[in-house]
C-alpha cells in the first residue's frame, strides 16, 4: 500500500480537528452530556470512520478497504471492553460528572499517542522479524482463553480499582490535593504546587491503555500489516470512546456474553496469525526452516464476516439472556 505523505497529513489533520471539536464543543464548557447528545455524537464519529473506510476502498482498492473495516470493527469491539475499566477508574477517583468528559478525552489523547508508538514498533518488528507473527498469534490465543474464562463475569463501579505502577509512582513523588479544585489539573495551596485527583485520573486512564494495546495491536496486525490502516482504525475507535462511554454507561453489564464474543474474535485472529507465520516460516526448528502451506490462511473477506457474525451473535445472545432473566425475576415477584 503506497501512502503519500499527504495521506498521512490528511489523517492526522482529521484526528486533530476531531479532538479540537471535542475540546471546544464539549470539554471547554464542562457539563454532563444527555443521552441524546451522546447518541448523536456517537453516530457522527462512527459515520466519519465509515466514510474514511470508503475513501480507502476507492483510493487503494477493496482489499485494503476490507482490511481497514475489519480492523476498525475489531478495535471498536475491544474498546467497548475497555470501557469497563474506564467505569471503575472514573468511580474510584470520584470524578465529578461535569468533568468526566475532560478526563476521558485527555486520557484518550494520551492513548492515541501511545498507540502510535506501539504501532511503529510493531511495524518495524514485523518488517525485520517474520517470526514475530508466532508471538502475536500465540499471545492472542492465550488472551482469547483468558477472555473465555471470564465468562459472564463483568466489572462494575463497585469493583475495587488497583492503581498501576505509574500512577502509584506519581502519587509517591508528587503531592496530590485531597479534593478536586474545579476543573484544574494543577493548583497551589499554601505556596506549594500540587496536582489534583483530576490529573491523576487522566494519567490512570492514559496509562491503562498500555494494557489494552497489548492485545489490540497484535489483533489488528493480524488483519492488516499496513501501518496507515492500523493507526487509522485505532485512532477512530479511540476517539469515539468518550461519547460511547456516556451512551452505554449503565448498560455495559447487559452485554453478558461480550467476553465470549471477544474470545472468539481474538482466538480466530490468533490462529490466522500462526497460519500466516507458517506460510512465511524462517525458523529452523519448524519444518526445517521451510514454509508450510498445509492450512489456508483466511482471507480478509472471511475475517470480516467472522467478526461481524460473532458480534451479531454476541449481542443477540446477550439480549435473549437479559429477557430470560427479566422473565424469571417477574415470576419470582408474582
Amino acid at each position: 500500500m503506497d501512502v503519500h505523505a499527504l495521506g498521512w497529513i490528511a489523517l492526522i489533520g482529521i484526528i486533530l480537528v476531531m479532538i479540537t471539536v471535542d475540546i471546544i464543543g464539549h470539554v471547554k464548557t464542562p457539563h454532563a452530556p444527555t443521552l441524546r447528545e451522546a447518541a448523536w455524537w456517537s453516530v457522527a464519529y462512527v459515520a466519519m470512520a465509515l466514510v474514511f473506510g470508503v475513501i480507502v476502498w476507492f483510493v487503494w482498492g477493496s482489499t485494503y478497504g476490507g482490511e481497514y473495516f475489519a480492523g476498525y470493527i475489531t478495535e471498536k469491539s475491544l474498546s467497548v471492553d475497555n470501557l469497563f475499566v474506564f467505569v471503575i477508574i472514573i468511580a474510584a477517583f470520584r470524578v465529578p460528572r461535569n468533568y468526566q468528559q475532560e478526563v476521558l478525552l485527555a486520557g484518550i489523547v494520551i492513548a492515541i499517542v501511545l498507540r502510535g508508538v506501539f504501532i511503529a514498533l510493531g511495524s518495524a518488528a514485523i518488517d525485520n522479524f517474520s517470526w514475530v507473527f508466532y508471538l502475536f498469534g500465540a499471545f492472542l490465543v492465550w488472551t482469547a482463553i483468558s477472555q473465555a474464562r471470564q465468562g459472564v463475569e463483568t466489572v462494575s463501579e463497585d469493583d475495587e480499582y488497583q492503581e498501576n505502577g505509574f500512577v502509584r509512582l506519581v502519587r509517591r513523588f508528587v503531592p496530590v490535593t485531597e479534593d478536586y479544585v474545579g476543573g484544574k489539573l494543577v493548583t497551589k495551596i499554601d505556596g506549594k504546587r500540587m496536582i489534583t485527583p483530576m490529573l491523576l485520573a487522566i494519567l490512570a486512564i492514559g496509562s491503562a491503555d498500555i494494557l489494552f494495546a497489548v492485545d489490540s495491536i497484535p489483533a489488528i496486525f493480524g488483519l492488516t500489516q499496513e501501518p496507515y490502516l492500523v493507526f487509522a482504525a485505532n485512532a477512530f475507535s479511540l476517539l469515539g470512546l468518550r461519547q460511547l462511554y456516556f451512551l452505554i454507561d449503565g448498560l455495559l453489564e447487559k452485554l453478558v456474553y461480550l467476553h465470549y464474543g471477544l474470545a472468539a474474535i481474538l482466538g480466530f485472529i490468533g490462529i490466522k496469525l500462526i497460519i500466516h507465520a507458517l506460510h512465511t516460516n524462517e525458523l529452523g526448528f519448524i519444518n526445517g526452516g521451510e514454509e508450510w502451506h498445509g492450512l489456508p490462511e483466511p482471507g480478509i473477506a472471511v475475517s470480516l464476516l467472522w467478526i461481524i457474525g460473532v458480534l451479531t451473535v454476541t449481542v443477540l445472545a446477550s439480549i435473549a439472556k437479559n429477557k430470560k432473566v427479566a422473565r424469571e425475576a417477574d415470576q419470582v415477584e408474582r
Side-chain angles (χ1 to χ4, degrees):
M1 182 179 182
D2 184 19
V3 182
H4 192 274
L6 290 177
W8 280 101
I9 293 174
L11 174 59
I12 295 174
I14 292 172
I15 294 171
L16 292 177
V17 168
M18 293 170 74
I19 293 174
T20 302
V21 169
D22 264 347
I23 293 175
I24 296 177
H26 304 96
V27 176
K28 192 174 181 180
T29 305
H31 69 285
T34 63
L35 185 63
R36 182 176 181 179
E37 177 185 342
W40 276 112
W41 279 103
S42 293
V43 170
Y45 272 82
V46 171
M48 292 186 69
L50 295 179
V51 169
F52 180 84
V54 172
I55 293 174
V56 170
W57 192 294
F58 280 101
V59 174
W60 288 284
S62 59
T63 298
Y64 291 121
E67 289 180 0
Y68 166 78
F69 282 119
Y72 171 71
I73 294 172
T74 299
E75 292 299 314
K76 197 69 175 177
S77 304
L78 291 171
S79 69
V80 172
D81 195 38
N82 298 347
L83 287 180
F84 287 114
V85 178
F86 287 177
V87 168
I88 293 177
I89 293 177
I90 294 281
F93 283 94
R94 296 182 175 82
V95 180
R97 186 77 174 175
N98 286 350
Y99 294 110
Q100 288 180 7
Q101 292 200 85
E102 182 176 344
V103 170
L104 287 168
L105 179 59
I108 288 169
V109 170
I110 293 174
I112 291 175
V113 174
L114 292 175
R115 292 287 180 96
V117 175
F118 294 148
I119 290 168
L121 294 175
S123 180
I126 288 173
D127 288 340
N128 292 280
F129 310 103
S130 62
W131 51 263
V132 168
F133 286 112
Y134 284 115
L135 297 181
F136 282 179
F139 179 77
L140 288 181
V141 171
W142 177 81
T143 303
I145 295 173
S146 298
Q147 284 278 358
R149 284 177 175 174
Q150 291 184 47
V152 297
E153 295 180 6
T154 56
V155 297
S156 67
E157 294 184 9
D158 296 328
D159 291 318
E160 184 178 354
Y161 166 65
Q162 299 293 333
E163 293 183 351
N164 59 45
F166 177 71
V167 174
R168 291 197 300 270
L169 186 66
V170 172
R171 190 186 288 276
R172 179 178 180 183
F173 291 100
V174 182
V176 183
T177 61
E178 290 291 332
D179 300 312
Y180 286 84
V181 185
K184 292 183 178 180
L185 303 180
V186 181
T187 188
K188 184 178 288 187
I189 298 179
D190 297 330
K192 186 178 181 180
R193 186 74 64 180
M194 304 178 71
I195 66 173
T196 68
M198 190 164 174
L199 177 55
L200 208 59
I202 291 173
L203 295 176
I205 288 179
S207 58
D209 188 71
I210 295 177
L211 297 177
F212 302 151
V214 171
D215 58 10
S216 66
I217 297 301
I220 192 170
F221 269 121
L223 299 168
T224 177
Q225 284 82 59
E226 298 296 333
Y228 185 75
L229 301 181
V230 173
F231 181 70
N234 270 271
F236 280 117
S237 64
L238 286 173
L239 282 171
L241 270 186
R242 181 183 60 80
Q243 292 81 5
L244 193 61
Y245 173 89
F246 291 101
L247 179 62
I248 64 178
D249 183 20
L251 300 178
L252 290 173
E253 60 185 18
K254 301 297 183 181
L255 298 173
V256 294
Y257 293 124
L258 177 63
H259 290 298
Y260 289 126
L262 293 180
I265 292 173
L266 292 177
F268 172 83
I269 297 176
I271 293 173
K272 183 177 184 294
L273 277 171
I274 293 174
I275 294 175
H276 179 79
L278 290 170
H279 287 187
T280 59
N281 180 56
E282 296 177 349
L283 297 179
F285 58 87
I286 298 178
N287 197 38
E290 299 294 327
E291 298 178 359
W292 185 77
H293 296 270
L295 292 173
E297 181 180 353
I300 193 61
V302 174
S303 300
L304 189 55
L305 288 173
W306 175 266
I307 293 167
I308 294 175
V310 167
L311 290 177
T312 300
V313 171
T314 299
V315 172
L316 293 178
S318 295
I319 293 175
K321 175 68 174 180
N322 291 324
K323 288 182 177 180
K324 181 180 178 181
V325 171
R327 285 196 302 268
E328 292 176 348
D330 289 339
Q331 292 176 356
V332 171
E333 291 179 359
R334 293 176 184 175

